[in-house]
Amino acid sequence: MDMQVSAISWDAVRVVLDGRLDIAGSAKIDIPFNVAAGTNRHVIVDMSAVTFIASIGIRTLVIGAKTVQRRGGKLLLLSPQPDVEQVLETIGVTDLLPIVRDEAEAITAIRS
């Protein structure tokens, strides 16, 4: 799992995840992901290159979302692959981890 963080604005970042968000992938990004969530009001997580998500990966995303929400921000998932999206919808976390289709939709959602 690779992770890249880039600023979108003074209070928002885009986190690009690439690979499998399984136990090994989660272990690799857990701390830097939590740092990104803890230091930014809004986080857009580009999931388009995530090919697999396990419960430990969902845990990483949920902890980040709760961290952001405590400070009045939003964490959004950008363009997850169909299999990953189906897992997230099946377990019912899309209220906490809203899914958006493009970056423009994400920017609109964090500004509303």
Side-chain angles (χ1 to χ4, degrees), residues 34 37-38 41 62-74:
N34 286 327
R41 185 165 183 215
V62 166
I63 289 171
K66 288 182 177 183
T67 299
V68 168
Q69 285 181 347
R70 279 194 293 272
R71 292 189 342 275
K74 294 179 184 175

Side-chain angles (χ1 to χ4, degrees), residues 25-96:
S26 293
K28 187 172 180 183
I29 68 154
D30 201 35
I31 292 174
F33 187 82
N34 286 327
V35 169
T39 57
N40 294 281
R41 185 165 183 215
H42 303 292
V43 179
I44 299 169
V45 183
D46 185 336
M47 301 279 291
S48 60
V50 175
T51 58
F52 176 83
I53 191 164
S55 59
I56 191 81
I58 295 167
R59 176 187 172 274
T60 298
L61 296 174
V62 166
I63 289 171
K66 288 182 177 183
T67 299
V68 168
Q69 285 181 347
R70 279 194 293 272
R71 292 189 342 275
K74 294 179 184 175
L75 185 144
L76 305 170
L77 303 181
L78 176 63
S79 302
Q81 292 190 10
D83 291 343
V84 172
E85 183 173 348
Q86 183 178 9
V87 169
L88 296 168
E89 288 176 350
T90 299
I91 64 167
V93 294
T94 54
D95 287 341
L96 181 60

